[in-house]
Amino acid sequence: MPSALALAATAIAVIYSFLRALVYLRHDSREPKPIFGAIPYLSPLFSMLIEQDKFYKRIRDKTRLPIYTLNIPGVPVYIANSLEVLQRVDRHIDTLPLAPMKAQTCKKVCSVSQAGLGKIYGNNLLAQDGYLYSHQRASAQAGAPGASLNALSRSASKVFAAAFDRVEARGRTAVDLYEFVHDAIFNGTTDAMYGPHNPFRTEKNLNHWAIFEAGLPMLFLGFLPNILARRAYKARERLVAAFIDYFGNDKHLDGGSLFVQLTNQVNDSTGLSLVDKARIEVGQVAAATFNTAPGAKEVMRLVDEVNGTHTIDLARVRTECPLLVSTLQEVMRFYGTATSLRLIYEDTMLDGEYLLKKGGAVLMPNSMFHTDETLWGPSVGEFDHTRFLKAGRRKSSTKHPAAAFRGFGGGHVLCPGRHLASTEMLALMALILVRVDVVPPGGEWPAAPIGLSAGRALPVPSKRVLVDFIPRAADKWRVIFTDKDNSGVNLVAEDMHGTNS
Ligand code: HEM
Ligand SMILES: *[C@@H]1O[C@H](CO)[C@@H](O)[C@H](O)[C@H]1NC(C)=O
Ligand SMILES: *[C@@H]1O[C@H](CO)[C@@H](O)[C@H](O)[C@H]1NC(C)=O
Ligand SMILES: CC(=O)N[C@H]1CO[C@H](CO)[C@@H](O)[C@@H]1O
């Protein structure tokens, strides 16, 4: 009688050969080259979940392929390595749209009703007459440079300034740097969006949010969410209730931003129910705050002192502090972990060269393009805060194509919140620079504790960074954001060519 061990070994060998054969059989020769890993289906899945960008970089450096196929259980996933392939994917708006991903998010993360899902798609995804497309147009309009962007930034700046007033009142204060930045950005962004009736002005809803956010990946995975992500599920329902109150009682009409006004009108015209509207809004808060929280002399020049009152107009940071802007952009290039994901809506031939099969997914990790030496030159591996300055002011002579920076997406999927997010990050950095001295423990800065990105555009710290804030001037501060300057923060190629979409 064969031993149990031998039986098990045979069974594993049979299953293994079966899986390998399956990968071959299911692979069409026109698809990008398949990469297997030690165990078909399972190895790539584990590497994708655990190693993420490190795994993709390893394969890129080993194979030098512009695009390849990873077979994981259920779907082929195509990973794009080259900017050229990425740009081709961007051009197939009809068969590789973002909408199916967004619809999945509405369904799994926000639990939008079946009737609601029909409306957000519209009659036909490609007709672009559904809620999702109208929402996209409305957000692009509300987030574009001009009075609307300035109004949003002004509200956020008020929240930032108040946080520093509190620090000054306390004197030297120990703060968790990430927590401070996160809370300031979260309060600032939601106040800017929702106005005086911002549902996140209560500790209770802020707590619900923290629980919901922690459970987001689990909800998205969608496997038994009301058991495995029970707390997140419940917290979300509380937030949905808060937004039903907000929109149901027309609180957005009393001081809510143009952003909320416009996107809410869209809801009305597509006949979406109040409950579904509230559900989608919870998703919108995630889009607006998930990525922004994680980056001085030229700022000092902006401070005017009159009679012991220091005034700073944060609107000027965008155009008068190019080194600060370049630093922000280099942080997004160097540390950025955003990944564009498209579900394949129809079989697609990329310029007659690669077949992408319907039902599969294309994954485009920004770090592939941001670490490509052919785009950024030999200094690609260095953090160079002058990299994005005009020629002559840069440290090295390195040049790069503007489209190689993908921090806010590109092509037909461009972040509508990019000007607001950049303005907020610059404003907060400027205030930290002028209003406090930041002293790390023992006087020395620890190496940046880079943690997991978990689907964010930037990683969060792996451990707390405690610092002391020491208020600088004991005098009064006046933090303003004027309308004299209608600039955006133009980091992506699309904005540099003057097409602010
Ligand atoms: C530092 C902050 C932010 C970063 C790094 C960021 C990054 C991105 C990226 C890379 C994309 C494209 C994703 C893809 O290609 O699949 C995107 C899309 C999007 N972002 Fe942001 N974002 C930020 C802040 C914001 C804010 C403040 C808002 C809202 C006010 C926002 C709303 C959105 C929306 C709605 C989309 C989908 C666009 C579409 O439907 O075409 N984001 N963002
Ligand atoms: C954010 O808002 C909460 C609730 O109003 C408040 O307790 C907290 O101090 C605020 N934090 C910052 C940095 O604005
Ligand atoms: C500064 O203070 C002086 C004397 O108190 C006063 O005359 C002057 O108007 C003040 N200037 C401004 C801009 O407030
Ligand atoms: C404010 C606004 O645009 N409201 C619209 C809501 O939807 C109805 C029905 O389509 C329109 O008639 C309203 O104009």
Side-chain angles (χ1 to χ4, degrees), residues 254-500:
D254 179 19
S257 64
L258 185 66
F259 211 104
V260 174
Q261 313 264 354
L262 284 182
T263 50
N264 189 61
Q265 280 172 18
V266 168
N267 303 338
D268 291 348
S269 61
T270 43
L272 211 64
S273 73
L274 176 61
V275 182
D276 281 337
K277 228 189 301 195
R279 291 189 174 283
I280 293 174
E281 198 63 31
V282 173
Q284 168 62 37
V285 175
T289 60
F290 206 46
N291 293 320
T292 315
K297 245 194 220 156
E298 52 184 17
V299 182
M300 293 300 172
R301 285 203 307 264
L302 301 185
V303 180
D304 291 324
E305 203 228 294
V306 179
N307 286 0
T309 297
H310 297 257
T311 302
I312 182 166
D313 177 1
L314 291 174
R316 292 165 61 195
V317 178
R318 298 175 293 192
T319 48
E320 294 179 46
C321 303
L323 196 60
L324 197 66
V325 177
S326 173
T327 305
L328 169 67
Q329 192 165 7
E330 178 69 345
V331 166
M332 294 185 70
R333 179 195 74 91
F334 196 80
Y335 295 107
T337 50
T339 292
S340 300
L341 180 61
R342 306 282 179 269
L343 304 180
I344 300 164
Y345 194 63
E346 293 291 347
D347 275 1
T348 304
M349 280 301 278
L350 281 187
D351 291 347
E353 199 176 352
Y354 302 107
L355 171 67
L356 310 182
K357 278 196 194 157
K358 175 177 177 168
V362 196
L363 205 67
M364 301 174 283
N366 273 355
S367 62
M368 295 307 111
F369 320 114
H370 287 177
T371 59
D372 185 339
E373 192 172 339
T374 64
L375 298 169
W376 301 91
S379 71
V380 66
E382 286 163 38
F383 183 94
D384 174 4
H385 69 296
T386 67
R387 185 182 301 277
F388 294 95
L389 291 177
K390 289 203 173 71
R393 296 198 56 200
R394 286 195 293 266
K395 218 166 69 187
S396 68
S397 56
T398 308
K399 262 212 244 152
H400 61 266
F405 177 77
R406 297 283 302 187
F408 287 110
H412 73 280
V413 185
L414 198 49
C415 177
R418 64 194 182 281
H419 293 291
L420 173 62
S422 307
T423 306
E424 282 187 14
M425 291 187 282
L426 292 171
L428 195 55
M429 280 199 284
L431 286 180
I432 290 177
L433 291 172
V434 299
R435 293 192 60 170
V436 291
D437 282 322
V438 183
V439 181
E444 231 170 274
W445 282 99
I450 308 289
L452 282 179
S453 74
R456 293 167 200 263
L458 287 159
V460 292
S462 55
K463 57 175 200 258
R464 285 155 69 89
V465 179
L466 285 171
V467 297
D468 277 353
F469 274 5
I470 306 171
R472 286 186 141 205
D475 316 288
K476 282 207 167 62
W477 273 95
R478 216 160 67 86
V479 176
I480 56 177
F481 199 105
T482 65
D483 255 329
K484 282 176 220 151
D485 179 340
N486 275 337
S487 310
V489 185
N490 302 326
L491 308 185
V492 298
E494 285 80 357
D495 289 338
M496 291 168 197
H497 300 142
T499 49
N500 294 319

Side-chain angles (χ1 to χ4, degrees), residues 43-60:
S43 297
L45 183 64
F46 280 119
S47 304
M48 282 173 77
L49 292 178
I50 294 159
E51 287 187 286
Q52 300 170 2
D53 286 4
K54 260 192 225 149
F55 167 64
Y56 304 132
K57 272 186 200 154
R58 207 167 59 230
I59 296 191
R60 176 195 62 187

